[in-house]
Amino acid sequence: MTESEFLGPESPESALPGRRLSELAEQAARCTAACCGAGTTASDGGSERPAAVTHPDLAGLVAVQLRSGEGPIPAAEERGEPVGAGDLLNERRWPEYRAVALDSGVRACVTLPFRRPHLTVTLSLYSFRPGALEGAARGPAQALGDLAATCLVRDRSYRAALTEVDHLGAALRARPLVDQACGIVMHVLGCDADAAFAILKRISQGTNRKLSDVASGLVDTRGRGLERELASLAG
């Protein structure tokens, strides 16, 4: 699979973390021998922890680790290297996670972490057969996880750029209205453009209203009835 095929079309929907994580889990499970399923998580240090699994039965394995802070996922995130168990039946670490895994029929697991600035992605692989995932950390799943982490970082930048464009567009649309309002303040108070704009900003901050809303109100009234208030703000 090429990078462009994995990245998919450029759209806000394709850049959703949940979709990327689901794709990673599905592809890693398919290309790893003896793997019965996979789960993925992403963490940027905030309260949200998007995750995905290839089968509903595996959701409990991810949830118990995020809740308890114990298991291959937290350990791999902390160490920055793969963490797993060759046979959970003989495993003495992570008793709560171990119980949930064995109840789901899972005997072997490995979690691969992928660190990026302000982001950590994990890929967990599961097998019904003990010892079946010993080489998984060096297989295709490693390359898929690296690519997915890079995609998620790029997706975040893409969404941030879209948000900035929206904000710039709103500012450009509001600019003529603000200019009109400044002209009204300049006419009422006999001040210059900088002073008029400073008064609009003061009203916006003092009333907790958007600058464009303040400007719209002034334009609608042409400043009538606001002479005294404007004069007090100019002082």
Side-chain angles (χ1 to χ4, degrees):
M1 172 174 288
T2 66
E3 181 173 352
S4 61
E5 289 172 334
F6 187 91
L7 293 177
E10 289 284 5
S11 71
E13 291 76 15
S14 69
L16 292 174
R19 176 167 175 173
R20 293 292 190 208
L21 293 175
S22 294
E23 290 173 347
L24 170 59
E26 294 287 350
Q27 292 161 2
R30 284 198 299 267
C31 72
T32 303
C35 180
C36 66
T40 54
T41 70
S43 173
D44 60 4
S47 58
E48 293 188 6
R49 289 289 301 267
V53 292
T54 56
H55 191 280
D57 288 349
L58 299 176
L61 277 73
V62 176
V64 70
Q65 296 181 77
L66 299 185
R67 184 180 67 251
S68 68
E70 295 183 350
I73 292 175
E77 287 180 332
E78 181 180 354
R79 300 177 191 176
E81 59 186 31
V83 174
D87 189 352
L88 285 164
L89 193 62
N90 301 320
E91 181 62 55
R92 293 295 175 262
R93 297 172 294 175
W94 326 308
E96 192 174 357
Y97 163 76
R98 173 179 175 271
V100 175
L102 291 176
D103 188 56
S104 300
V106 171
R107 291 288 298 275
C109 65
V110 62
T111 295
L112 289 65
F114 305 91
R115 288 177 172 176
R116 297 292 187 273
H118 311 295
L119 179 69
T120 298
V121 176
T122 69
L123 168 61
S124 299
L125 303 171
Y126 305 100
S127 178
F128 295 138
R129 292 164 45 194
L133 299 174
E134 289 182 358
R138 299 181 298 276
Q142 175 69 41
L144 286 170
D146 274 326
L147 180 56
T150 299
C151 289
L152 284 165
V153 171
R154 196 206 64 172
D155 291 343
R156 293 173 66 185
S157 299
Y158 176 59
R159 291 195 300 273
L162 286 180
T163 300
E164 184 175 357
V165 168
D166 287 343
H167 289 167
L168 288 173
L172 289 173
R173 290 190 296 272
R175 183 58 185 268
L177 199 61
V178 173
D179 287 343
Q180 290 182 56
C182 282
I184 292 171
V185 175
M186 292 167 64
H187 175 74
V188 171
L189 299 181
C191 63
D192 61 22
D194 289 340
F197 185 70
I199 289 171
L200 292 182
K201 284 181 62 179
R202 201 175 305 167
I203 295 174
S204 172
Q205 294 166 356
T207 60
N208 197 27
R209 296 159 59 200
K210 292 181 180 179
L211 185 64
S212 58
D213 292 339
V214 172
S216 178
L218 273 172
V219 170
D220 288 343
T221 63
R222 295 290 188 269
R224 289 189 293 271
L226 300 175
E227 292 85 351
R228 183 174 298 180
E229 180 181 356
L230 292 173
S232 67
L233 290 169

